[in-house]
Amino acid sequence: TATEVLQTLADEMADHLEELGYDRAETLRGYSAYDVLKVASMAERETGQPEEERGQIARVIYNRLDAEEPLGIDATVLYGLGRDSGELTQSDLETDTPYNSRLNAGLPPTPIGLPSLAALQAAIDPPEGDWFYYVLVSKDPPTHLFTDSSSEFQRAKEQARADGVF
């Protein structure tokens, strides 16, 4: 039945969270297990290829949270608009939803999708790094540039636009 399928999925997710140490999330990351799950969901939705970018995106999220900066995650804005892809207009970016991480500081109220095991691992144990920004620089495969420099981020963003990446 549908209930049995959902219970099986919930049990499997709980097993993975336990294996990864989400019961110690507060000690490991300084955030509740539920908050780390939100980070994992954002890393999943934002990541292209290669898979290891999930960890770098999780690190950017934590760095921005620690600095009390808005996350500026496009996937959360899209989620708040009831979409999972597409270009964001200026009007979209200004739409005040609880998921608009450009307008609202901190984490969104809920996860924005089901994270993969790789995203769960990345969120509980991200690599060290001082990255504060990332931008999509290639569509095939989808890859990002990670940097701690606002000017480098802006240059890469302009180049990606010029190259038709987005």
Side-chain angles (χ1 to χ4, degrees), residues 142-154:
T143 53
H144 296 86
L145 167 89
F146 293 85
T147 182
D148 65 340
S149 165
S150 175
S151 60
E152 182 179 13
F153 166 73
Q154 288 301 330

Side-chain angles (χ1 to χ4, degrees), residues 11-22 117 120:
D11 292 344
E12 187 172 328
M13 176 76 143
D15 290 345
H16 287 304
L17 293 176
E18 185 177 331
E19 289 168 13
L20 293 170
Y22 270 64
L117 185 57
L120 292 169

Side-chain angles (χ1 to χ4, degrees), residues 70-83:
L71 298 178
I73 305 280
D74 288 350
T76 65
V77 176
L78 287 165
Y79 185 86
L81 296 170
R83 299 177 6 217

Side-chain angles (χ1 to χ4, degrees), residues 47-68:
T47 301
Q49 300 292 331
E51 190 171 288
E52 58 268 12
E53 284 190 351
R54 286 175 177 82
Q56 291 172 288
I57 289 172
R59 172 54 59 201
V60 169
I61 292 168
Y62 288 126
N63 289 347
R64 287 180 157 255
L65 287 169
D66 291 347
E68 298 181 0

